[in-house]
């Protein structure tokens, strides 16, 4: 099994001219910095998000920082299945799509369980269901690219909790932490299960999982409208400097997972020392590698999102 090229340099990416990538949740955090790094390498980036003003600020910031960047914005709220369908229809009509970074998510869930207009628990809907539906509906243009790739954003927290297959939307026992971790376990399990199914179908599309380590805003460059931590936030985050890294560095792993030609479907990528460092091959939590967990989650998401992958 390939470990991918040892000389990978996230500060000097291979040219991506002529390639097109879609990034969800691109107006801030990891999504913004992934978009910026792809743009610096010459790719055309479709930045998506649910707030038009924040998207406009992010696009303006990216163009200031990367003169000549080829970038556009598109409204997409992954918690809203109608919004997902509309965005997927628009992107699906295009001639080319080389990769999708499924990044958008709620990192700070609400204290009390709440549901979307579709009736789904909001963290599961945003982090999992919307991306499952989006990925399934974009398989056509990804396949036309010849070697399209899906990257699902996981988390190092997935080894800290057991997944409850009987209660994926936490109707019985909700807590903000549990909602976040379960959503990331589900995300990683679906990323692996997607690759199993794509391989079995002979599809040219691959599915990969990546995690950003412990990436914090307080150690990240300040950018108006994109990353504006308070003085207190910077102080607190820098107290954890031995364990943390910036959002720029956190984006290294998902970007490598998306564009490194040596990355294999079904693999996982993360920082070299788990919480921080250069992007390297990573090991997934056992629950997210389980074919049983993957298959049961897949069936649940197909039914709940009303999306069946072709």
């Amino acid at each position: 099994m390939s470990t991918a090229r040892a000389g990978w340099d996230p500060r000097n990416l291979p040219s991506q001219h002529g390639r097109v990538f879609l990034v969800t949740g691109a107006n801030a955090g990891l999504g913004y910095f992934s978009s910026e790094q792809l743009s610096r390498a010459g790719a055309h980036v479709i930045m998506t998000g649910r707030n038009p003003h924040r998207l406009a600020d992010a696009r303006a910031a990216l163009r200031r920082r990367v003169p000549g960047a080829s970038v556009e914005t598109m409204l997409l709220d992954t918690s809203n299945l109608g919004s997902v369908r509309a965005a997927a229809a628009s992107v699906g009509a295009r001639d080319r799509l080389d990769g999708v970074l499924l990044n958008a998510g709620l990192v700070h869930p609400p204290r009390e369980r709440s549901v979307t207009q579709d009736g789904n628990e909001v963290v599961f809907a945003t982090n999992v269901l919307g991306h499952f539906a989006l990925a399934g509906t974009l398989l056509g243009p990804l396949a036309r690219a010849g070697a399209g790739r899906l990257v699902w954003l996981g988390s190092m927290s997935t080894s800290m909790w057991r997944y409850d297959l009987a209660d994926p939307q936490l109707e019985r026992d909700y807590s903000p932490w549990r909602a976040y971790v379960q959503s990331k376990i589900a995300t990683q399990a679906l990323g692996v299960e997607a690759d199993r199914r794509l391989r079995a179908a002979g599809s040219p599309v691959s599915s990969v999982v990546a995690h950003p380590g412990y990436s914090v805003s307080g150690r990240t460059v300040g950018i108006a409208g994109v990353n504006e931590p308070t003085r207190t936030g910077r102080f607190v985050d820098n107290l954890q400097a031995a364990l943390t890294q910036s959002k720029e560095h956190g984006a290294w792993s998902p970007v490598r997972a998306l564009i490194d030609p040596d990355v294999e479907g079904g693999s996982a990528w993360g920082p070299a020392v788990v919480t921080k460092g250069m992007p390297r091959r990573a090991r997934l939590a056992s629950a997210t590698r389980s074919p049983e967990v993957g298959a049961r989650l897949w069936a649940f998401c197909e039914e709940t999102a009303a999306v069946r992958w072709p």
Side-chain angles (χ1 to χ4, degrees):
M1 182 177 290
S2 169
T3 57
R5 60 186 69 186
W8 184 265
D9 182 358
R11 297 183 178 89
N12 186 25
L13 298 174
S15 174
Q16 300 299 306
H17 283 87
R19 306 190 78 199
V20 179
F21 298 99
L22 183 146
V23 180
T24 68
N27 61 278
L30 297 165
Y32 170 81
F33 288 104
S34 296
S35 299
E36 184 178 293
Q37 289 167 25
L38 292 167
S39 294
R40 286 189 190 280
H44 177 75
V45 181
I46 306 169
M47 303 174 73
T48 75
R50 61 186 178 185
N51 186 305
H53 302 297
R54 291 179 180 175
L55 267 178
D57 288 344
R59 178 180 59 186
L62 195 154
R63 286 179 168 166
R64 287 195 305 270
R65 289 168 57 86
V66 187
S70 179
V71 61
E72 64 179 288
T73 58
M74 179 179 294
L75 288 177
L76 168 59
D77 180 355
T78 58
S79 73
N80 182 322
L81 292 171
S83 175
V84 171
R85 286 190 289 269
S90 177
V91 176
R94 299 178 181 228
D95 293 332
R96 179 162 192 149
L97 181 66
D98 294 275
V100 180
L101 176 52
L102 303 166
N103 162 81
L106 284 176
V107 180
H108 304 291
R111 295 185 65 178
E112 303 293 331
R113 185 181 186 274
S114 61
V115 298
T116 67
Q117 65 184 42
D118 299 308
N120 298 305
E121 190 274 314
V122 68
V123 183
F124 188 82
T126 305
N127 296 9
V128 183
L129 275 181
H131 285 140
F132 176 86
L134 179 68
T137 50
L138 291 181
L139 286 182
L142 285 168
R144 290 196 297 271
R149 190 174 294 173
L150 296 164
V151 174
W152 308 68
L153 195 73
S155 169
M156 64 181 188
S157 68
T158 52
S159 60
M160 303 177 186
W161 200 277
R162 291 188 63 187
Y163 190 79
D164 186 353
L165 279 169
D167 191 18
Q169 300 216 52
L170 300 180
E171 295 179 77
R172 294 190 301 272
D173 188 16
Y174 177 90
S175 74
W177 170 248
R178 188 177 187 192
Y180 174 74
V181 176
Q182 282 221 156
S183 77
K184 288 302 180 180
I185 293 174
T187 295
Q188 292 184 178
L190 289 170
V192 175
E193 181 67 14
D195 201 73
R196 290 190 191 104
R197 292 171 183 252
L198 290 166
R199 296 287 72 71
S203 172
V205 180
S206 60
S207 176
V208 181
V209 174
H211 80 83
Y214 190 5
S215 302
V216 295
S217 296
R219 299 200 64 209
T220 304
V221 61
I223 303 175
V226 174
N227 186 67
E228 300 176 285
T230 64
R231 185 174 299 179
T232 300
R234 284 210 180 275
F235 176 76
V236 171
D237 284 348
N238 278 288
L239 287 177
Q240 307 175 82
L243 297 174
T244 62
Q245 63 182 0
S246 67
K247 300 282 187 178
E248 300 106 305
H249 293 181
W252 287 351
S253 294
V255 168
R256 181 173 189 177
L258 189 64
I259 68 173
D260 186 344
D262 294 337
V263 165
E264 297 174 325
S267 63
W269 294 80
V273 292
V274 183
T275 63
K276 62 190 294 187
M278 300 292 279
R280 296 286 186 270
R281 187 84 178 248
R283 182 172 176 80
L284 291 169
S286 59
T288 67
R289 302 194 306 269
S290 165
E292 178 194 1
V293 172
R296 288 183 63 178
L297 267 170
W298 195 275
F300 179 81
C301 288
E302 279 192 330
E303 179 180 357
T304 307
V307 170
R308 197 168 290 274
W309 283 39

